[in-house]
Amino acid sequence: MPVLKGVGQCLIHAPNLLYHNGTTQTVERLKNPDSEYLKKLPEHLRKYDDAVAYAPNQAYIGNISLEELKTIPRPWYPNSINGASRFGKYGEIMPEDEFYGLLKIADAFDLVILEESFQEEVKEKLAKHKLINEQLLARLTNAKPLGEIEKLVASHTAEGLYLGEKLVGCVRQAHEIDENLSAHIMLENLVVKASGILAVLHLLANTGINPAEVDYIIECSEEACGDMNQRGGGNFAKAIGEIAGLVNANGSDVRGFCAGPAHALLQAASLVKSGTFKNVVVVGGGAVAKLGMNGKDHVNKGMPVLEDMLGAFAVLVSENDGLNPIIRLDVIGKHNIGSGASPQQVMKALVAEPLAKLGRKITEIDYYSVEMQNPELTEPAGAGNVPEANYKMIGALAVMAGEIGRADIPTFVQKHGLPGFAPTQGHIPSGVPALGFFRDALLEGKISSAMVIGKGSLFLARMTNLFDGLSLLIEKNPGKTEETTGLTKEAIREMVAEYLREMAKGLLS
Amino acid sequence: MDLQNQARIKELAEELGGENIVVLLGAAEPDTASLAAETVTLGDPTFAGPLAGVSLGLKVYHILEPEIRAEIDPAVYEEQAAMMEMVLDVDALAAEVSKMREEGSKY
């Protein structure tokens, strides 16, 4: 059985990317440049320290557990967490200026240009970062004077990188005509790459694995990198691995909207189970486009615009070590083409059917990780509490299966559900952000099984109206020896010794 | 309501006649259901889409309203919608949508 060896989970505070590059804002600027929303928006952007002290963000990087978050009353944003810090056991919350530096580090085609003094400042800061080594720092080159950057931005051949009113750099277009290589797309793709790198660096540190031992990388964000002849050609995975030092790894990109990470996890686990590879990294970078997606509603409600975080994650799937939680591959929940698109059919395919195959009850799974969007971001926009709705659906399935009574649904939700805590970055909240929490709880023996559910809205690409989803069971490792042959090492040793004794006897006689 | 959906509903109403159309909503939140119902009856209250200032006055229901449930084969309803009936606030959804229907439906 493949195991979940560790995670890297990072956030990047990105209020300026939100303001200049989030699609809600870029569309508004095109359609209604003098809008009240755009005027009010800067006053509603959070400071970095507030983003760090925000309880769901502390949960994302592992400083508080999801069980602890459950006990913290909402609203979370006006109540900072005491003792909050930038770094947690899964990763970190990086400030935007350092992230611009990381964008430059990630850049392989001299597309990112930072202003000279800003680059020096950021270099000093990144030099103090425990995971940014000399080799990475040396990539901070070719800074330019402000005037040159201003010219590029004014000529619409580059997207500006700002800190408040101040222009501190830009991302240039990579082609004059090809819109797939425009400055806008290059910025989005470089953000995926840079945030993915950050998550992988934390994953390497958290697991202690030698980077040279990673065999394969699967990237599962929601952007496409390519040019006009192959719009989604790829390959984010190798681009990320190159900078993160995974020299012996190959890789590829997997897509499936928000279900992408679940597909990637399934493939990683299958590659390990088959014996093809020993160590596979799954990584997903963040989405600039979704920053401030519900910003208008947040501003209208007088709240800070809370969708100011880029999310990134990485997990390491490895061959069985007899210790880390196993990813079961004997039964997978999967939404089939013929499954039907009603929520009931989807949840049946993802939860009820795989558990029935195993002879397990819905109530026997300790926790479910569903679409873990932070409700504080979605409720003001009328989208409700998404994870809670999912838990109610799973509870309703348990009612239909005769496991609980209808009146028990709220208790089921309380017992088997977790609070939504992830930024609304599409693939980032989709099942996977609870992997760090699940791994810890399984290792500590607090729980014995958890289900990760990824769901994707395929209609958005206008190719099909089908829905999508995959679910995987993660369980406590029963120990390595029982799984393969049923024989212990000692028993095998004894058998070999017996054979040798017999052979020696034969030789002597 | 999604701008493309507004455009499709407007086109269908023009092509088939408003009296021949029933809009069925599946929204999970009462507020969202109310907004969608208002859009296809009185017009887009956000003034963002093709139905801004256009009062189609269509008949509109939520899928979980009793009138619609009565029209559906019970076996199909059980298989497709019974779970959501346990999850959503059916009374609140029905109240919001029927209110807009009474206020704005011409048919």
Side-chain angles (χ1 to χ4, degrees), chain B residues 19-93:
Chain B
E19 70 279 15
N20 296 315
I21 293 175
V22 174
V23 181
L24 268 190
L25 303 176
E29 296 292 318
D31 288 352
T32 321
S34 173
L35 210 64
E38 186 173 352
T39 305
V40 298
T41 51
L42 301 172
D44 179 5
T46 66
F47 287 93
L51 292 178
V54 179
S55 298
L56 291 180
L58 300 178
K59 216 176 229 185
V60 57
Y61 289 91
H62 194 278
I63 182 78
L64 299 178
E65 281 190 83
E67 292 93 327
I68 301 301
R69 183 180 183 156
E71 297 286 327
I72 300 173
D73 178 337
V76 173
Y77 192 87
E78 180 67 20
E79 203 180 295
Q80 302 286 339
M83 180 192 82
M84 288 314 283
E85 203 179 76
M86 283 190 258
V87 171
L88 301 181
D89 187 345
V90 179
D91 291 342
L93 285 165

Side-chain angles (χ1 to χ4, degrees), chain A residues 282-297:
Chain A
V282 173
V283 55
V288 170
K290 296 186 185 79
L291 290 169
M293 205 162 43
N294 295 301
K296 287 181 185 175
D297 295 294

Side-chain angles (χ1 to χ4, degrees), chain A residues 488-501:
Chain A
T488 61
K489 269 186 188 168
E490 288 68 29
I492 295 170
R493 219 174 274 142
E494 187 53 42
M495 281 168 70
V496 174
E498 182 63 25
Y499 174 74
L500 289 173
R501 272 196 294 272

Side-chain angles (χ1 to χ4, degrees), chain A residues 342-345 382-384 389 392-393 396-397 399-400 406 409 462, chain B residues 2-4 29 32 48 77-87:
Chain A
S342 73
Q344 186 168 337
Q345 298 300 318
K392 284 182 185 168
M393 288 184 217
L397 285 178
V399 174
M400 296 177 94
R406 194 167 168 172
I409 293 178
R462 310 301 198 268
Chain B
D2 182 72
L3 306 188
Q4 272 98 24
E29 296 292 318
T32 321
Y77 192 87
E78 180 67 20
E79 203 180 295
Q80 302 286 339
M83 180 192 82
M84 288 314 283
E85 203 179 76
M86 283 190 258
V87 171

Side-chain angles (χ1 to χ4, degrees), chain A residues 162-381:
Chain A
Y162 297 87
L163 290 175
E165 304 277 307
K166 200 174 159 194
L167 182 67
V168 295
C170 67
V171 176
R172 294 190 303 151
Q173 65 185 23
H175 193 277
E176 274 179 39
I177 299 160
D178 187 347
E179 59 188 26
N180 304 288
L181 298 172
S182 66
H184 167 75
I185 299 289
M186 292 319 300
L187 169 63
E188 286 189 346
N189 287 349
L190 281 165
V191 165
V192 170
K193 184 179 174 186
S195 54
I197 290 166
L198 188 64
V200 171
L201 291 177
H202 278 279
L203 175 73
L204 296 174
N206 294 345
T207 56
I209 189 176
N210 175 352
E213 285 176 14
V214 174
D215 304 300
Y216 201 76
I217 310 158
I218 305 177
E219 203 277 344
C220 57
S221 68
E222 293 184 278
E223 312 299 0
C225 60
D227 67 2
M228 61 177 122
N229 293 317
Q230 40 272 312
R231 192 157 35 80
N235 178 319
F236 279 114
K238 286 187 90 168
I240 290 168
E242 179 190 16
I243 308 294
L246 311 184
V247 287
N248 290 320
N250 189 286
S252 60
D253 301 344
V254 161
R255 293 293 178 267
F257 281 99
C258 305
H263 285 280
L265 197 59
L266 169 66
Q267 293 179 23
S270 301
L271 286 169
V272 171
K273 164 98 177 171
S274 68
T276 308
F277 299 124
K278 288 180 178 172
N279 296 300
V280 179
V281 165
V282 173
V283 55
V288 170
K290 296 186 185 79
L291 290 169
M293 205 162 43
N294 295 301
K296 287 181 185 175
D297 295 294
H298 294 171
V299 167
N300 283 341
K301 301 255 175 354
M303 296 165 54
V305 176
L306 297 169
E307 288 166 312
D308 55 357
M309 308 309 292
L310 291 163
F313 82 97
V315 303
L316 175 62
V317 179
S318 297
E319 60 182 355
N320 196 356
D321 56 5
L323 173 75
N324 276 291
I326 56 166
I327 302 168
R328 285 190 76 144
L329 288 170
D330 47 349
V331 177
I332 296 294
K334 82 185 166 64
H335 179 268
N336 296 328
I337 289 169
S339 292
S342 73
Q344 186 168 337
Q345 298 300 318
V346 172
M347 292 310 266
K348 211 172 117 190
L350 296 180
V351 180
E353 285 173 3
L355 292 179
K357 272 186 206 159
L358 276 180
R360 301 275 286 276
K361 286 182 176 175
I362 293 168
T363 47
E364 282 174 20
I365 305 305
D366 294 304
Y367 281 129
Y368 292 87
S369 177
V370 290
E371 297 163 289
M372 300 309 291
Q373 285 96 335
N374 177 351
E376 214 151 87
L377 279 50
T378 54
E379 281 172 348

Side-chain angles (χ1 to χ4, degrees), chain A residues 9 55-72 76 89-90 367-370 372 391 417-422 431-438 440-441 446:
Chain A
Q9 295 183 185
N57 291 350
Q58 286 293 302
Y60 192 87
I61 62 166
N63 276 340
I64 55 173
S65 78
L66 295 181
E67 274 157 350
E68 284 170 288
L69 184 64
K70 224 178 190 179
T71 66
I72 301 176
W76 289 318
K89 63 178 159 179
Y90 306 147
Y367 281 129
Y368 292 87
S369 177
V370 290
M372 300 309 291
Y391 292 129
L418 293 163
F421 66 105
V432 286
L435 284 174
F437 168 72
F438 283 166
D440 289 346
K446 287 181 178 167

